[in-house]
Amino acid sequence: MGMHERDYVEDAFRTNWIAPLGANVDGFEQELADYAGAGGAVALSSGTAAIHMALRLIGIERGDRVFVSTLTFIASVNPILYEGGEPVFIDSDRDSWNMSATALEQAFEDAQLIGRMPKAVIVVNLYGQSADMDPINEICARYGVPVIEDAAESLGATYKNKASGTLSRFGIYSFNGNKIITTSGGGMLVSDDLEALAKARFYATQARDQALHYEHTQVGFNYRMSNILAGIGRGQLRVLDDRVNARREVFERYAKAFESLEGVAMMPEASYGRANRWLTAMTIDKHVTGLTPPELISRLNEANIEARPVWKPMHLQPLLRQYAYYRHSSEESVSDSLFEEGICLPSGSSLTQDEQDRVIDVIVGSLQQAKRAVAQ
Ligand SMILES: *Cc1c(COP(=O)(O)O)cnc(C)c1O
């Protein structure tokens, strides 16, 4: 937490305005919309709920197809399944690890041939870096299909000087405990379409029609953020830029320390924007280093350091195997390679230099040891 969260929360207590909604919710929505340069914002109970609302607003129904990045967390996909939709998974490119425009184009061409066009495309901004939105938006516009930007991990990042999450019809952010700023749990839907946002507020408060009595003509959800959590969010928003800088510094120190290691590559930063470096991710080529990511992760665990593989792609998940998948090229599934070679390092904004040095020492030591073993 920063310096101001408690003040906003105490304000909610002082006015006895704990829930539902209240001044902090309105304030958080306005402040986030201003920060991102979005027309408006709706504070919700999670990023997952925000994706669900975006799909509802676009009108996804049973049997509708939705194209979605395969290299992501399951929350990008679950809301498609809530509506009975059919996800179609799109591979990553090497430059950004995000949705490959080549694979997307291929998926659209096939969809047109079989007469089964998607109703929406969900583009994920992985580990805090924007996807290359211009070509993706151009393809989707050509086919008349709206785009939802899953910016759960990329709040504070930019794409061509615009805030990540504001490049398409809808954007969503997450304030889950693991994200760059947090309300303990929460999310936000942003858009320039204020009418759509008003509808999202309606659906997210049980779709209660205008009437003195409780009148309902549509299915609704209980998805709004409480005034307490929004207070935390207002305070967190004030430290967001510091957090981005801190995480970028963490990344830079790792990158510098691993510069000379053969077979090790940091997640690239595409030239079109500035990542928030939510997580520092890198790849290790086992053929060069003699070490696989699970082996390195277990070395780190032995030193009481937690690290994780890169997200397991959605097209490899047992839950989702029956759905179509489009790879970047016939020779390569980029997301499969990134999953096999990728590792996410401790990246918290409060990580001290000593702690980071400890991580670096274990990694450099493990790689040197593996290299000696390969040489023998
Ligand atoms: C965290 C995350 C979400 C979901 O956000 P919640 O607030 O946890 O529901 C969605 N997409 C991605 C890519 C995420 O990392």
Side-chain angles (χ1 to χ4, degrees):
M1 291 292 107
M3 305 279 284
H4 303 287
E5 289 81 350
R6 194 187 292 270
D7 296 339
Y8 289 112
V9 172
E10 268 168 14
D11 215 46
F13 274 89
R14 196 175 45 74
T15 57
N16 203 21
W17 208 273
I18 305 302
L21 306 171
N24 279 335
V25 173
D26 297 343
F28 189 29
E29 288 178 345
Q30 190 57 52
E31 287 154 18
L32 185 112
D34 290 347
Y35 175 90
V42 179
L44 297 167
S45 54
S46 70
T48 310
I51 297 172
H52 191 190
M53 289 294 89
L55 290 172
R56 275 251 146 178
L57 291 167
I58 289 169
I60 305 302
E61 291 174 3
R62 187 156 294 282
D64 284 340
R65 301 175 99 203
V66 177
F67 291 176
V68 56
S69 310
T70 193
L71 191 57
T72 186
F73 176 54
I74 189 73
S76 310
V77 179
N78 272 333
I80 304 171
L81 305 180
Y82 300 163
E83 293 298 323
E86 181 188 317
V88 173
F89 300 114
I90 311 293
D91 199 9
S92 302
D93 64 34
R94 280 262 166 207
D95 301 331
S96 68
W97 294 18
N98 284 312
M99 186 179 279
S100 153
T102 318
L104 179 67
E105 181 80 64
Q106 189 61 54
F108 267 115
E109 281 170 18
D110 282 8
Q112 201 158 41
L113 276 179
I114 61 169
R116 293 204 60 214
M117 292 294 278
K119 261 222 177 140
V121 175
I122 301 176
V123 182
V124 178
N125 301 314
L126 199 72
Y127 299 137
Q129 165 155 267
S130 176
D132 194 1
M133 293 308 295
D134 279 354
I136 291 170
N137 279 331
E138 185 275 314
I139 295 167
C140 295
R142 193 161 13 98
Y143 288 98
V145 175
V147 176
I148 301 166
E149 245 190 296
D150 180 346
E153 301 174 4
S154 66
L155 179 60
T158 59
Y159 177 78
K160 299 188 179 173
N161 294 320
K162 288 192 185 136
S164 181
T166 63
L167 281 302
S168 300
R169 183 175 313 176
F170 294 108
I172 77 95
Y173 300 114
S174 166
F175 312 109
N176 192 42
N178 62 344
K179 297 304 197 296
I180 192 154
I181 61 169
T182 182
T183 58
S184 75
M188 196 78 82
L189 176 68
V190 297
S191 180
D192 287 334
D193 183 344
L194 299 185
E195 226 169 285
L197 293 183
K199 268 194 210 152
R201 285 194 184 88
F202 167 75
Y203 287 131
T205 39
Q206 307 284 21
R208 198 176 138 198
D209 292 334
Q210 290 282 340
L212 187 57
H213 53 275
Y214 285 75
E215 179 94 351
H216 300 277
T217 48
Q218 292 181 72
V219 176
F221 302 86
N222 183 5
Y223 273 174
R224 286 291 259 160
M225 182 183 280
S226 86
N227 199 45
I228 294 285
L229 299 191
I232 300 176
R234 294 179 84 178
Q236 287 272 285
L237 200 53
R238 293 173 65 168
V239 296
L240 173 58
D241 288 338
D242 297 339
R243 296 283 160 88
V244 173
N245 291 333
R247 298 226 179 198
R248 287 185 63 89
E249 264 171 44
V250 166
F251 177 92
E252 291 306 331
R253 291 189 85 238
Y254 282 130
K256 204 143 189 248
F258 305 148
E259 214 167 32
S260 58
L261 296 175
E262 257 175 89
V264 175
M266 308 307 290
M267 177 180 179
E269 183 163 43
S271 57
Y272 51 62
R274 184 173 187 259
N276 71 14
R277 296 296 189 191
W278 172 57
L279 290 189
T280 288
M282 64 179 198
T283 53
I284 52 174
D285 181 345
K286 65 166 187 260
H287 304 294
V288 178
T289 61
L291 204 65
T292 64
E295 283 163 354
L296 182 56
I297 288 169
S298 89
R299 300 279 160 82
L300 286 161
N301 282 343
E302 283 161 22
N304 202 22
I305 296 166
E306 191 182 12
R308 298 275 177 85
V310 162
W311 298 127
K312 180 172 180 176
M314 293 298 114
H315 69 275
L316 299 177
Q317 298 290 347
L319 173 70
L320 304 168
R321 270 197 193 126
Q322 70 266 37
Y323 300 112
Y325 167 56
Y326 284 87
R327 8 162 100 209
H328 179 60
S329 73
S330 53
E331 295 88 55
E332 196 190 13
S333 171
V334 173
S335 58
D336 281 66
S337 310
L338 292 174
F339 175 55
E340 271 165 39
E341 297 181 351
I343 167 168
C344 297
L345 300 180
S347 313
S349 349
S350 56
L351 197 70
T352 65
Q353 294 210 350
D354 285 350
E355 286 170 332
Q356 207 182 349
D357 286 340
R358 208 154 73 71
V359 179
I360 290 168
D361 287 346
V362 174
I363 291 174
V364 172
S366 305
L367 286 164
Q368 281 169 347
Q369 199 184 3
K371 198 173 174 184
R372 280 195 296 273
V374 169
Q376 274 165 14

